[in-house]
Each structure stands twice: as structure tokens, then as C-alpha cells.
Amino acid sequence: MVDQGEPVTAGGITSGLDLALRLVRRELGADAATGVEAMLEYEARGTGWTPSADRRP
């Protein structure tokens, strides 16, 4: 999963779930994301990559 603002991208099923949970957390907050995790019976891996400004070309 890559989060550089808009758009964000993910490849694969697990990455897509992690991305969806990250967006829920970003837009609706941690409590909402935790609730979605519980409904899905899935725990986010937290493997997102957000490049730092000094690494951009």
C-alpha cells in the first residue's frame, strides 16, 4: 500500500483491506476503524508506506 495523499494504491486482497482500514481511520477516526476490524474479523497489519518529502525526486 502506498499513501502519497490522493490517490492511494494497494495491490492484492490483504493490501486492499489494509488500505480500506487506513482510509476509514483517516476519515472517520480510530474508533470507527477498530469497529470495522471487529466486523470483518481482520486485524490491520499497518504496512502502509508514506514517502517522506526528502525522498521525492
Side-chain angles (χ1 to χ4, degrees), residues 15-43:
S15 295
L17 288 169
D18 285 343
L19 174 61
L21 289 167
R22 184 179 184 121
L23 294 174
V24 169
R25 182 175 305 276
R26 184 171 79 184
E27 299 297 322
L28 302 175
D31 289 339
T34 301
V36 172
E37 284 181 346
M39 285 189 299
L40 295 175
E41 298 180 1
Y42 177 80
E43 185 176 328

Side-chain angles (χ1 to χ4, degrees), residues 1 9-16:
M1 168 181 39
T9 60
I13 294 170
T14 303
S15 295

